[in-house]
Amino acid sequence: MLRMPRLFPSLLVARSRTRTAASRRTPISCIILAVLFLSSSGAASSAAAQKALHIFFVDVEGGQATLFVTPAGQSLLIDTGWPGNDGRDADRIVAAAKKAGIRKIDYVVITHFHTDHVGGLPQLAARIPIGTVIDHGDNRESTDAPTVQGWQAYQELLAAKKFKRLTVKPGDSLPISSTSVDGLQATAVSADGAVIDHPLPGAGQENASCNNTEAYPADQTENVRSVGTLITFGKLRILDLGDLTRDKETELVCPRNKLGAIDIYIVSHHGWSQSSSPALLNAIAPRVAIMDNGANKGGTPSVWDIIEKSPRLENLWQLHYSDEGGAAHNVAAEFIANPEGPDAGNYLELTAWPNGRFDVWNPRTAKRIHYPAR
Ligand SMILES: [Zn+2]
């Protein structure tokens, strides 16, 4: 999938052949020109093949684990799924990493300390090297035992120096932005209950749907502290808000839309009704939404309707058939990774190019939908 390693052996061969064959009778300037030609033509064709960003929507049964791998092989994982199950979720993430051709995960964002997001981290860290884990700051929900356990396990991994820790605040660039050589940028738009105070570049339009927005109750859990991330790759804009709740969404898009239009929306909170308000969906107006619901977690019919009715939507994809949704509130089977019945842990993969075009691939059905640049 990542073809970069092939470039260097072929270049090395080209260079060594040029040196040995030409060293006795060819002027040095010709050798340099030949090497430059071989290098640039090889690099150009290889660069064309490499330009895709790959995003793996790993099925962690109603938790989150979304792996981004840039053309140059830099990686960012948003959340790590659940604990237990003999490392089921960590195994699935590692399988996606292998498909992408990476042996290390450079950055992991833990959106918040609920167990379906941070729970898989110890098992993951035991299976694959991790560079830096990015969080919103310390856990603030001390009344929920699984959340406290997830936080404690995180502290133990930090004490064992399994990875570095970085705490971000709204407006910060994630470090992959500086290490990515292929133009991927990631910005925190929410963290620890705060959101960006200025619109992102190109955003800031008035959001008419705010006039009808309810006053949502203030969430008291870790959900509202989720690290939300906006990722840009060339012309493409991708939004992941973790489990950010509607009260905080309102601060992001009302009365002005600080986020702007989004191409790909990773549906917040597994498609549960505490998130994905009409004001958010009307503001970001995604072309494609991908929902990491489980069979019995998330996928709420009212949210499904809000997404389906959003102004620019071309397709909603689901990681699971939603039992609650039934016949009326599930997409067609070809857009679902895991249909009714025994779970197979199927993933979805999105491949994106800097000009704004992208594909979504369902390995279960071998169905690939192409979305041209807009
Ligand atoms: Zn969750």
Side-chain angles (χ1 to χ4, degrees):
M1 204 145 297
L2 290 172
R3 297 182 180 84
M4 188 173 183
R6 287 188 204 159
L7 170 64
F8 297 109
S10 64
L11 274 179
L12 288 172
V13 169
R15 282 177 174 142
S16 63
R17 273 185 195 149
T18 306
R19 277 195 203 106
T20 51
S23 55
R24 273 164 288 160
R25 55 187 182 277
T26 308
I28 190 75
S29 58
C30 293
I31 299 172
I32 292 168
L33 281 171
V35 168
L36 283 174
F37 172 76
L38 286 166
S39 302
S40 62
S41 61
S45 60
S46 182
Q50 285 173 30
K51 275 187 178 168
L53 167 71
H54 293 272
I55 310 174
F56 295 85
F57 298 84
V58 181
D59 175 30
V60 291
E61 309 296 333
Q64 183 172 1
T66 314
L67 178 65
F68 297 74
V69 181
T70 76
Q74 290 286 301
S75 53
L76 170 73
L77 174 71
I78 300 185
D79 289 329
T80 60
W82 300 87
N85 303 303
D86 294 325
R88 176 200 66 196
D89 293 356
D91 284 342
R92 291 178 181 181
I93 295 164
V94 170
K98 279 189 180 158
K99 285 189 182 77
I102 56 169
R103 294 182 180 173
K104 174 190 176 187
I105 298 178
D106 298 304
Y107 303 100
V108 175
V109 171
I110 295 296
T111 58
H112 61 300
F113 292 105
H114 280 166
T115 191
D116 55 325
H117 296 260
V118 72
L121 186 58
Q123 292 163 322
L124 186 67
R127 283 161 170 77
I128 190 168
I130 295 171
T132 301
V133 176
I134 299 163
D135 63 36
H136 68 58
D138 294 0
N139 170 47
R140 312 288 185 140
E141 191 177 340
S142 58
T143 52
D144 181 61
T147 304
V148 171
Q149 284 165 17
W151 167 245
Q152 286 173 343
Y154 181 48
Q155 298 299 291
E156 287 163 17
L157 292 167
L158 286 168
K161 301 194 186 316
K162 284 283 189 183
F163 39 71
K164 293 181 208 156
R165 179 188 184 189
L166 175 69
T167 296
V168 291
K169 56 184 189 308
D172 286 354
S173 288
L174 270 53
I176 193 168
S177 302
S178 56
T179 58
S180 167
V181 295
D182 31 43
L184 183 133
Q185 295 282 322
T187 305
V189 295
S190 67
D192 200 26
V195 304
I196 46 174
D197 52 10
H198 295 325
L200 295 172
Q205 298 81 0
E206 203 167 316
N207 180 0
S209 58
C210 294
N211 299 332
N212 306 319
T213 293
E214 298 172 38
Y216 298 109
D219 186 89
Q220 302 296 327
T221 73
E222 270 285 302
N223 290 330
V224 80
R225 302 186 181 278
S226 290
V227 174
T229 307
L230 186 119
I231 292 171
T232 60
F233 179 65
K235 292 182 175 172
L236 211 66
R237 304 179 88 241
I238 305 160
L239 182 66
D240 184 293
L241 297 177
D243 287 357
L244 200 73
T245 44
R246 289 183 175 188
D247 51 327
K248 210 50 67 175
E249 289 174 359
T250 304
E251 294 178 25
L252 277 171
V253 297
C254 289
R256 293 188 180 277
N257 173 12
K258 295 175 187 165
L259 298 173
I262 297 296
D263 297 289
I264 297 150
Y265 172 49
I266 301 172
V267 178
S268 303
H269 215 166
H270 326 289
W272 244 334
S273 59
Q274 297 99 325
S275 305
S276 293
S277 63
L280 176 74
L281 268 294
N282 284 327
I284 64 173
R287 294 182 63 189
V288 162
I290 300 188
M291 185 160 71
D292 46 20
N293 64 306
N296 294 295
K297 185 162 181 284
T300 307
S302 59
V303 171
W304 193 95
D305 281 335
I306 291 166
I307 296 168
E308 281 283 339
K309 288 174 186 165
S310 64
R312 290 198 309 158
L313 192 83
E314 293 171 46
N315 289 121
L316 168 63
W317 294 75
Q318 299 175 201
L319 273 186
H320 272 268
Y321 179 86
S322 163
D323 290 350
E324 186 186 356
H329 291 93
N330 275 284
V331 292
E334 67 205 64
F335 295 93
I336 299 179
N338 296 282
E340 281 183 285
D343 179 62
N346 297 317
Y347 64 100
L348 295 170
E349 183 181 348
L350 192 148
T351 307
W353 289 268
N355 71 352
R357 72 185 171 98
F358 58 98
D359 288 352
V360 181
W361 155 250
N362 185 347
R364 180 181 68 80
T365 61
K367 177 95 175 173
R368 181 183 297 276
I369 303 274
H370 180 61
Y371 300 90
R374 287 271 184 266

